[in-house]
Amino acid sequence: MDLVDHSPHQPEPIPRIASASNLVLIDNYDSFTWNVYQYLVLEGATVKVYRNDEISLAELTAINPTQLVISPGPGHPSTDAGISTEAIQYFSGKIPVLGVCMGEQCIFSAFGGEVKVTGEILHGKASPLRHDGKGLYEGLPQDLPVTRYHSLAGTHSSLPDCLEVTSWIASGPDGDKGIIMGVRHRELLVEGVQFHPESILTAEGRHMLKNFLKMKGGTWTENEKSKNQPNGHLSVPGFNDNSMNLTGTEISTLRADPKQNESILEKIYRHRRRAVEAQKLLPSLRPADLQHSYRCNVSPSQISFPERLKESSFSLSLMAEIKRASPSKGNISLDVCAAEQARKYALAGASVISVLTEPEWFKGGIEDLRTVRQVLEGMPNRPAVLRKEFIFEEYQILEARLAGADTVLLIVKMLEVSALGRLYHYSRKLGMEPLVEVNTVEEMDIATKLGAKVIGVNNRNLTNFKVDLDTTSRLMEKTSKETIVCALSGISGPKDVEDYKLSGVGAVLVGEALMRATNITTFVDELLGDSEINRFHDEQDNVLVKICGTRTPEAAKASIEAGADLIGIILVEGRKRYVSPQVAVEISKVVHELKKPTTHVRLEQDNKLSKKATEYFDHTSSLILRQDRAMLVGVFQNQPLSHILVQQKLLNLDIVQLHGSEPIEWASLIPVPTIRRFGPEDPGLGLRGYHALPLLDSAIGGTGQTLDVDSIRRTLDPDRGVRVILAGGLNPENVRTVLKQIDRGSKIVAVDVSSGVEEDGIQNVKKIREFVRAAKAAYRDL
């Protein structure tokens, strides 16, 4: 391009403008900062300049700027921009924000994007600019010459969902978008340019800054409203059932006095906006931090919310809510443990667990969501997890996904249609179909036009908090047959759901009544009725028996014929019961070929037919039992994982037992069920999703040391869902008594014996038979 001086020759400044009376310009130690300052002053702004390392965020906040501009600068935004990125994150949504060159890169990274080397090193090069004609570029022609000084730029592949490309350098014969030259936040009034509008080689650079200074408010919505108001003043809209198009920013920013005449809903929403803004400033919780965590694939696995709603053991699916308090009812159950409550809900048949994460009025938090997801880990047919919150931006949705949510709540009343659509699609992009909440016909129309697959009808009016259970039935006719309609709020007993069963409602959400129920399972059965017949017996018929320390094929054969369910071989060199690889192969052949003398019948739940969640250890207990033959267990202790994997394959081990200090996570890397040894005080015994069963043993296996019965009780009692294999000093004479003394029903799935069935160090067939007989008789006595 021809080099043309586009600077304003003999420029005349325009009069000072009131809306730009306190503009702050952050200097990233660049000579172009003076040129930016000059253009802004010429366009009527009163500008204060601060270097990026000579002012704190608190000091910036106290200045109360009318606009924020981030200057160009050398280096990378992550290492050389000082306060710039933090300032962008804080002031976005409050005042207009502009970034130039490195300032634009700071915007890109502040919202989660990556700034990388472009492959070009440009210093004073003029390039033709393509743009979208909006914002900074309003009223400007295409292919403007702009000046570029950069080797870095934001990448298309990492462009955050909340940003859009506004200008670019055309690439290829079709003018495709090449290197990004400008970005704009989709909701907040934030723009950035990679080029230099203040350079003499850039055409219309002063016009761009003039366009910026015309912008008002913290969002594009506020900016549009200001154009229609006399003297540029913002209107103060009301908030009622007929005014659904308010953003949280409008509620918190536009009121002259937000505390006058506001509803409780507005008050909560204003408070949440302020709390989220403060949270986003904290290291590790900034938007960019969450984006990086998500890219590291640390989010827990997820399930389909709509599909899980369709799978219920009742005619109506249950959405069970963890709700410590509410604005209308006050405190309900402040001391409830969210994880424990979630487990009760799951086992009672809930298809969804709703977790309120608002801390002030509902007494919840994101940590509740995280622990609820953790307690459901590994649980077959686990419920979906819903984050129930006042959601107004993508940050909260990403936060929910990282904490383990399968879905989030979007309230139509609280969101503009455009914001609702943006958040809906962002949630789906993260694999979460949202629950879209409505209360009126107009809101239902919005939800159906959006294409929401799951619509929740709130029977409680969020403005006056009155409950009308017929609201759901009235709005049903507005939906298609494919839409799952959920009745939310006000449900306390069986009569409340009778009409819903007949009208085609797919699910009901119950909170307060469940939180107050003395027996959750009974309450749910009475509320929804007609549950599937549960064929699972809490008490197993008898205990499984593992004969460990087997050293010969003959001993293995005798143990199986005596009724043993598991045959253990020690594969740790140096231990007195160690078997060589050759002998281990022979024992494996016997175990895999010899049939059990009788079929071991045990009533258990058919998880394929059941639609209820089941305890993790109830499920994994079935993995260590075969009806046709015994199972071979290889015992390892502090050996390399690679060695264990080779031996498992070589010996065709059915189960691997880790008897040392191996990491618990190894269980996920071993292709067969894993038993792991724990002492009574060892942490991690009840951890779900790793070992199939914990083995509760004395300090050194095979020594004959007996576990203290009281310590066993203390270990098992706190966790009603834990199941264990019991070992340590058991023999034919005491196993029956020990099991009776512990008296913990099905918590002891199996008993493990080694020295207790030996005589002079050799396994004794008579003792094995007596041990098997005594152990299996113990549960029949209980």
Side-chain angles (χ1 to χ4, degrees), residues 153-165:
T155 63
H156 285 282
S157 61
S158 71
L159 180 71
D161 293 310
C162 61
L163 298 182
E164 59 183 345
V165 175

Side-chain angles (χ1 to χ4, degrees), residues 128-130 143 167-179 181:
L129 184 77
R130 298 285 177 87
D143 295 317
S167 61
W168 60 94
I169 301 301
S171 173
D174 298 325
D176 292 337
K177 292 182 178 180
I179 294 175
M181 285 290 107

Side-chain angles (χ1 to χ4, degrees), residues 138-448:
E138 185 176 345
L140 298 181
Q142 294 294 333
D143 295 317
L144 285 170
V146 297
T147 314
R148 300 165 63 191
Y149 289 81
H150 69 102
S151 60
L152 303 172
T155 63
H156 285 282
S157 61
S158 71
L159 180 71
D161 293 310
C162 61
L163 298 182
E164 59 183 345
V165 175
T166 59
S167 61
W168 60 94
I169 301 301
S171 173
D174 298 325
D176 292 337
K177 292 182 178 180
I179 294 175
I180 296 173
M181 285 290 107
V183 293
R184 177 186 303 122
H185 197 285
R186 296 180 185 275
E187 179 183 1
L188 309 180
L189 212 164
V190 178
E191 286 222 45
V193 294
Q194 178 63 71
F195 58 91
H196 287 254
E198 76 285 1
S199 169
I200 63 172
L201 299 182
T202 296
E204 303 293 349
R206 184 170 167 181
H207 192 130
M208 296 177 195
L209 295 182
K210 181 178 181 179
N211 283 341
F212 172 70
L213 293 177
K214 290 179 181 178
M215 299 173 185
K216 296 181 178 68
T219 70
W220 295 109
T221 300
E222 293 173 24
N223 184 59
E224 287 301 311
K225 290 179 183 292
S226 71
K227 294 179 180 180
N228 301 320
Q229 301 302 317
N231 302 319
H233 294 303
L234 300 182
S235 64
V236 183
F239 188 91
N240 52 52
D241 289 339
N242 298 317
S243 178
M244 299 180 294
N245 296 332
L246 298 180
T247 64
T249 304
E250 287 169 335
I251 294 172
S252 61
T253 306
L254 301 188
R255 288 184 177 272
D257 183 356
K259 296 182 180 180
Q260 289 184 0
N261 302 319
E262 67 178 352
S263 69
I264 183 62
L265 181 61
E266 292 175 271
K267 187 175 182 180
I268 295 172
Y269 205 82
R270 176 170 56 83
H271 188 274
R272 292 303 293 147
R273 290 288 304 198
R274 190 165 58 245
V276 170
E277 287 172 359
Q279 177 180 310
K280 287 160 63 176
L281 297 176
L282 300 175
S284 82
L285 295 178
R286 297 168 299 187
D289 298 323
L290 266 58
Q291 287 278 0
H292 290 320
S293 295
Y294 184 73
R295 291 194 188 110
C296 288
N297 293 310
V298 299
S299 301
S301 61
Q302 59 194 133
I303 61 175
S304 168
F305 169 51
E307 293 304 315
R308 187 62 182 90
L309 277 176
K310 295 175 184 177
E311 297 293 325
S312 175
S313 56
F314 306 99
S315 58
L316 280 174
S317 292
L318 173 63
M319 303 172 71
E321 187 159 271
I322 297 173
K323 185 177 187 178
R324 293 192 179 92
S326 76
S328 60
K329 297 298 179 69
N331 294 340
I332 297 171
S333 182
L334 291 182
D335 297 329
V336 72
C337 170
E340 182 180 14
Q341 191 79 353
R343 182 177 289 167
K344 292 177 181 179
Y345 286 168
L347 298 177
S351 296
V352 176
I353 296 177
S354 170
V355 185
L356 277 155
T357 59
E358 193 285 320
E360 298 299 322
W361 284 267
F362 294 91
K363 310 301 181 186
I366 195 69
E367 190 60 28
D368 286 336
L369 183 70
R370 189 173 286 108
T371 58
V372 165
R373 178 61 185 86
Q374 288 172 347
V375 83
L376 301 177
E377 183 65 32
M379 183 179 284
N381 301 321
R382 75 163 177 87
V385 178
L386 162 69
R387 181 183 191 182
K388 196 172 184 188
E389 172 65 277
F390 298 89
I391 288 179
F392 42 82
E393 63 176 75
E394 290 88 344
Y395 176 87
Q396 296 166 288
I397 297 175
L398 181 57
E399 181 187 38
R401 179 77 282 276
L402 287 168
D406 300 296
T407 182
V408 296
L409 176 70
L410 299 178
I411 305 174
V412 174
K413 184 180 293 293
M414 299 303 299
L415 298 166
E416 290 181 340
V417 175
S418 60
L420 174 66
R422 190 185 71 251
L423 296 175
Y424 175 81
H425 292 295
Y426 179 74
S427 180
R428 295 195 68 192
K429 183 178 179 180
L430 299 187
M432 300 188 294
E433 177 68 33
L435 171 64
V436 180
E437 179 185 309
V438 303
N439 178 252
T440 67
V441 173
E442 293 79 10
E443 292 172 8
M444 178 63 86
D445 287 339
I446 293 172
T448 54

Side-chain angles (χ1 to χ4, degrees), residues 501-519:
K501 292 180 180 180
L502 300 175
S503 62
V505 171
V508 292
L509 185 142
V510 185
E512 180 187 349
L514 272 172
M515 295 295 292
R516 298 187 190 278
T518 54
N519 187 304

Side-chain angles (χ1 to χ4, degrees), residues 490-541:
I491 298 167
S492 59
K495 291 184 178 180
D496 296 332
V497 302
E498 289 176 356
D499 290 342
Y500 295 153
K501 292 180 180 180
L502 300 175
S503 62
V505 171
V508 292
L509 185 142
V510 185
E512 180 187 349
L514 272 172
M515 295 295 292
R516 298 187 190 278
T518 54
N519 187 304
I520 290 172
T521 300
T522 300
F523 177 88
V524 172
D525 287 341
E526 292 175 352
L527 176 73
L528 300 178
D530 61 18
S531 173
E532 66 182 6
I533 298 174
N534 191 350
R535 293 178 299 280
F536 182 74
H537 288 196
D538 281 341
E539 303 298 327
Q540 62 190 60
D541 286 10

Side-chain angles (χ1 to χ4, degrees), residues 447-595:
T448 54
K449 288 177 182 177
L450 181 67
K453 294 182 179 179
V454 186
I455 298 177
V457 179
N458 198 337
N459 295 316
R460 177 177 283 112
N461 185 301
L462 291 180
T463 301
N464 57 31
F465 281 85
K466 291 183 179 179
V467 173
D468 179 2
L469 292 176
D470 292 332
T471 306
T472 299
S473 301
R474 286 197 301 269
L475 297 183
M476 278 290 297
E477 62 185 39
K478 303 287 290 183
T479 63
S480 66
K481 292 182 179 179
E482 293 74 24
T483 305
I484 302 174
V485 176
C486 310
L488 315 180
S489 297
I491 298 167
S492 59
K495 291 184 178 180
D496 296 332
V497 302
E498 289 176 356
D499 290 342
Y500 295 153
K501 292 180 180 180
L502 300 175
S503 62
V505 171
V508 292
L509 185 142
V510 185
E512 180 187 349
L514 272 172
M515 295 295 292
R516 298 187 190 278
T518 54
N519 187 304
I520 290 172
T521 300
T522 300
F523 177 88
V524 172
D525 287 341
E526 292 175 352
L527 176 73
L528 300 178
D530 61 18
S531 173
E532 66 182 6
I533 298 174
N534 191 350
R535 293 178 299 280
F536 182 74
H537 288 196
D538 281 341
E539 303 298 327
Q540 62 190 60
D541 286 10
N542 52 53
V543 72
L544 304 182
V545 174
K546 173 173 174 271
I547 305 297
C548 202
T550 302
R551 280 164 281 176
T552 66
E554 293 76 19
K557 181 175 182 294
S559 295
I560 295 169
E561 290 174 342
D565 303 287
L566 302 146
I567 304 298
I569 54 175
I570 307 300
L571 301 174
V572 185
E573 289 191 56
R575 297 284 297 274
K576 66 178 181 180
R577 296 179 180 84
Y578 167 71
V579 294
S580 67
Q582 295 80 6
V583 175
V585 168
E586 295 175 11
I587 294 174
S588 176
K589 189 173 187 297
V590 170
V591 174
H592 285 87
E593 293 180 356
L594 184 62
K595 301 296 181 183

